[in-house]
Every structure is written in C-alpha cells, then in structure tokens.
Amino acid sequence: MALDLRREVAPRTPDTAAPAGPPRLVGTVWGLLILNTLGSAGAVTIVPLPRSLIQMVTMGALVAAFALALAVNLRLRIRSSAFVLLLTLLLVPSLISSVDLESGFGALFRCGRLALFIATLWLLSRWWDGSLTFVRHHIRMYFVVLGSVAVGLVVSPGTALPGLYGGRLVGALWPLTPPQIGQYAAVIIGLTVLLVLGRRTDRVSAALVIVPSLVLLALTHTRTATLGMLIGLVLAIGSLLLTSAAARRFFSWTVVVVAVAAVGFSGALQAWFLRGQTQENFSNLTGRAKVWDALLAAPRTTTEQLFGMGLGDKSFGGLPIDNSWLAVYQEQGLIGVTLVATLLLVLGGVALLRPPSLQRACAIFLISYCAIASYTEAGLGDASPYLLHLALAAALLATPATAPVLPAPPVPRRRVPRWAQDRR
C-alpha cells in the first residue's frame, strides 16, 4: 500500500532551513502506541488468549514505545504543546483520586500507564511539524489491525460473527469488539478520503484502503462510528470548499449519492441502523441511559465530585459507562471533565484559526469524530485510541519547525605587509 510516499519539501528561505525529518523508528513508536491501546477485553478468539498475556503484550508495547522514543530523542528535545500539557495536568486529579486506593492498586497502575503514555507523546512532539507523516503511520497501522480482523473473518466466520454480539463483526484473532473495529475503519476511511482530495495519494491505493474498510464497518453495525465518520467528513470537506475544486466536486457528488440512497434504500438503511432493536431499546441507547442515570444519582463527597474515584475500567456497578464525559466524571471528577473539555476546545479553536489546508481538514475530521464518539464511547480521560486521534490532530495543527541558519563566521582580513601599505 503506497499512501503518499512522497516527501513534503518545505520551501527554504535565506533565514531558515528545514530540519531533518523524523527517523524511521518514530513510525515504530506510533505503531506500538496503537498496539497498547487495542485493549485486553473483547470477543472470544479462534485461539483462546489469556487476558494476562494480552495485557503483557499491550503494556510491553507501551514500555517499548517509550524506550524507543527516548532512544531517538536522547537530548529530550520537545515542542510546546497545549494538548500534551493539558493531558499532563489531567494526571493530577487522576493521582489524587487513585492514591487512597479506593479503586484498588489497579488505579495506581493505570496512572503509571497514563504517565508513560503522555511521556512518550512529549518525546514524539519534537517531530510534530504540521506534516502528514503521522497520518500515514496512523492509516497504515490501523489498516494492519483491520487486516487481522479480515483474516479472522475468512478463517472462521462463525467466530468473527458470533451470536453473542448479534452477528456483528468482532476480532477473531485479537479480541476486538464491534465498536473498536468500527472506530478504526471509520477513522482511516475519513483520513484516506481527505488524502485523495488533497492529491497526496492515488485513487487505486486509496480504494485498497477504503473499500475493505467500508465492508468491515458495515459488518460491525456501529452507528456511532458511521455517524462520526460522515459528520466529520462533512465538516472537514466543508473547510476545503473555498480552496479545493476536488473537494467541491466530491461534496456535490456525495450529496447526490446520499439523496438517491436515502430514497431507494431507506428500508435497508433503517434495518441496518436499528440492528433489530425495539424502539424502546433504541431510545435508551441499548441500556446506556440506565447506567448513566444511576451514576449521576450515586452519592459522592465533595472530594469525589472534584477529583473522582480513581482510574478504573470505565464501568459503574459492573456495567460499562460508554460515555467519555461520565467516565471522566466518575474517575477524575469535575476537574478532569474541565480539563478534557478545555483540551477539545483548544484543539478546535486552533483548527478554526488555521488557514485552509489538507492538514487542517484532517485535524477537523479527527476532532469532530472524537467529540461525537465521546457521547457513546469512553476513552478521553485515559490512554486510548481517542487520545491518539487527538494527538494526531495536535501534530497536524503544529506550526512547521524551522532551524535558524547560523551566521557565517567573519572572514579574517589579510594582513598587508608594511612595505605595501600606503605611506601617504
């Protein structure tokens, strides 16, 4: 798969020179961070994998990512980043609420994991220069993950489409849930579409990514990922309409195709969207609303309201919370909710202030997708794929790094012999 393999060459001026690009190990570090955020709980796989083994692999990936990032950045050169700074501040309520061990030693372990995750992002921030380098890493690594899902579907369709999940696609080789697969597919579809519009990849390479990802997304029946992808693409392409003729053509054709599909396939679309659920089950978001009401009604002390209960497994009463804002409120309190909201507002504000560009459009897509998914998915307050998506947006919005050219040393004046000097 050759997605935008051409290097971007920034124009040089007499006063600046382009710094060296990131080493190849940076892409490996990003891939290890993605492996760390795949999770350890999910569907039944073809070959049963003990949860302890999966956790060992994911945590080992994070430790390896930090070690490699430190190896390529031994001088600890970092760039100022409001995004990573706010994530660092998020560690404060996490530690305060976890240190009393109300949530067990697992809370402190998760704090250590989050700290190592943030430290790795600080080390990588040196190469956040507004280029599309990390976009390529993002697409390629998640495409590999989706490739494992496709292999599992071919090898064992019954395991990949279990009745336990209502026939929705799961990971048969690695325990991935339908929302996870839908999220990965939606994100790389959106980013690849934007790369095509920006003429940073050819259509054949893009089709090799988009078509199978669309098939996997459809098999997951994930409504949040589908809506997040569509709304995110509308906002991202809308930011390019004034400067890109390709974006205007794509937007016009998309409107026509969507209108035809809405009229001709309304029944099939409605059946896919409802997933066989009753109207009552759909209205309470598959039982999520009951968990949310119980969480908000639970008694809390002032300290627990401000700092939360400590980092946990994003559940309440044994049931998943499935809402980033309520999960952050449960684990990091109102201070955590404020920091996460500030993080999204800062990224969104910077994106709006940047001039129209492909990088800005990709950032808008990622920010809007994460904001939409936060309503029915948890992950904005802990090391997760959503924080990696937002880190990618922060890398795209960073200003290009330039290294000043040192002034040339003065040329020594040639000494003139005394006999040759003017004696006037």
Side-chain angles (χ1 to χ4, degrees):
M1 179 179 57
L3 278 172
D4 189 16
L5 298 180
R6 296 170 296 177
R7 291 181 176 272
E8 294 179 345
V9 181
R12 300 188 181 187
T13 64
D15 299 326
T16 61
R24 292 184 178 181
L25 282 179
V26 169
T28 304
V29 173
W30 196 259
L32 290 171
L33 288 179
I34 289 176
L35 176 59
N36 171 252
T37 58
L38 291 183
S40 59
V44 177
T45 55
I46 299 173
V47 178
L49 299 175
R51 186 174 181 181
S52 58
L53 175 62
I54 299 174
Q55 290 177 333
M56 187 183 303
V57 171
T58 54
M59 278 305 303
L62 179 58
V63 173
F66 176 76
L68 286 178
L70 188 60
V72 297
N73 193 3
L74 283 175
R75 296 186 179 181
L76 302 181
R77 294 178 178 175
I78 61 175
R79 296 195 64 188
S80 58
S81 171
F83 169 78
V84 189
L85 176 61
L86 288 169
L87 280 185
T88 306
L89 294 177
L90 190 61
L91 277 173
V92 176
S94 304
L95 287 171
I96 293 176
S97 59
S98 301
V99 73
D100 60 359
L101 301 181
E102 183 175 345
S103 300
F105 286 99
L108 286 178
F109 177 80
R110 292 184 180 93
C111 284
R113 173 176 176 251
L114 179 59
L116 203 59
F117 182 86
I118 296 173
T120 306
L121 291 182
W122 272 121
L123 292 172
L124 291 180
S125 66
R126 173 185 177 183
W127 295 283
W128 292 2
D129 56 359
S131 69
L132 296 171
T133 301
F134 286 93
V135 172
R136 302 187 194 99
H137 296 325
H138 213 64
I139 294 175
R140 288 167 180 164
M141 294 310 302
Y142 276 123
F143 189 73
V144 171
V145 175
L146 293 180
S148 70
V149 175
V151 171
L153 176 62
V154 173
V155 173
S156 179
T159 306
L161 300 168
L164 180 64
Y165 284 89
R168 301 170 66 190
L169 180 64
V170 300
L173 299 181
W174 185 273
L176 297 175
T177 61
Q180 286 180 284
I181 299 172
Q183 175 198 163
Y184 306 153
V187 168
I188 69 172
I189 289 170
L191 291 176
T192 307
V193 167
L194 293 175
L195 288 182
V196 172
L197 294 180
R199 297 180 180 178
R200 301 302 177 91
T201 186
D202 59 275
R203 296 182 180 181
V204 175
S205 299
L208 292 176
V209 175
I210 294 174
V211 174
S213 299
L214 275 174
V215 173
L216 297 181
L217 176 60
L219 291 176
T220 62
H221 289 264
T222 307
R223 296 174 293 222
T224 299
T226 304
L227 290 176
M229 179 190 70
L230 295 176
I231 296 175
L233 277 176
V234 168
L235 296 176
I237 296 174
S239 69
L240 294 173
L241 290 179
L242 296 178
T243 58
S244 173
R248 290 192 291 271
R249 289 193 300 269
F250 182 85
F251 191 83
S252 302
W253 279 107
T254 302
V255 171
V256 174
V257 171
V258 169
V260 172
V263 174
F265 304 96
S266 58
L269 291 174
Q270 184 178 6
W272 182 90
F273 196 78
L274 290 176
R275 297 195 313 231
Q277 297 175 341
T278 62
Q279 191 65 32
E280 180 183 358
N281 197 20
F282 176 73
S283 62
N284 63 25
L285 297 173
T286 322
R288 290 185 177 97
K290 297 179 180 179
V291 180
W292 299 348
D293 294 339
L295 186 150
L296 292 174
R300 302 172 190 273
T301 64
T302 303
T303 302
E304 289 172 344
Q305 287 182 343
L306 291 177
F307 299 101
M309 304 282 193
L311 291 183
D313 58 358
K314 312 298 178 289
S315 65
F316 180 80
L319 296 174
I321 298 175
D322 286 339
N323 181 288
S324 285
W325 303 102
L326 292 180
V328 172
Y329 174 65
Q330 170 72 10
E331 297 181 355
Q332 292 140 315
L334 293 174
I335 294 179
V337 172
T338 302
L339 288 172
V340 171
T342 304
L343 184 150
L344 283 174
L345 290 175
V346 167
L347 284 177
V350 172
L352 292 177
L353 293 176
R354 289 284 187 268
S357 66
L358 178 59
Q359 288 85 342
R360 177 193 183 221
C362 291
I364 289 175
F365 169 76
L366 293 167
I367 297 167
S368 56
Y369 179 88
C370 291
I372 294 168
S374 67
Y375 184 65
T376 58
E377 296 290 336
L380 288 183
D382 204 349
S384 69
Y386 292 104
L387 286 189
L388 275 182
H389 301 332
L390 294 177
L392 177 58
L396 289 166
L397 295 174
T399 55
T402 55
V405 177
L406 298 177
V411 179
R413 297 179 62 184
R414 188 175 60 179
R415 188 173 181 180
V416 181
R418 295 185 61 181
W419 61 266
Q421 294 180 4
D422 190 356
R423 297 181 177 276
R424 291 179 297 174

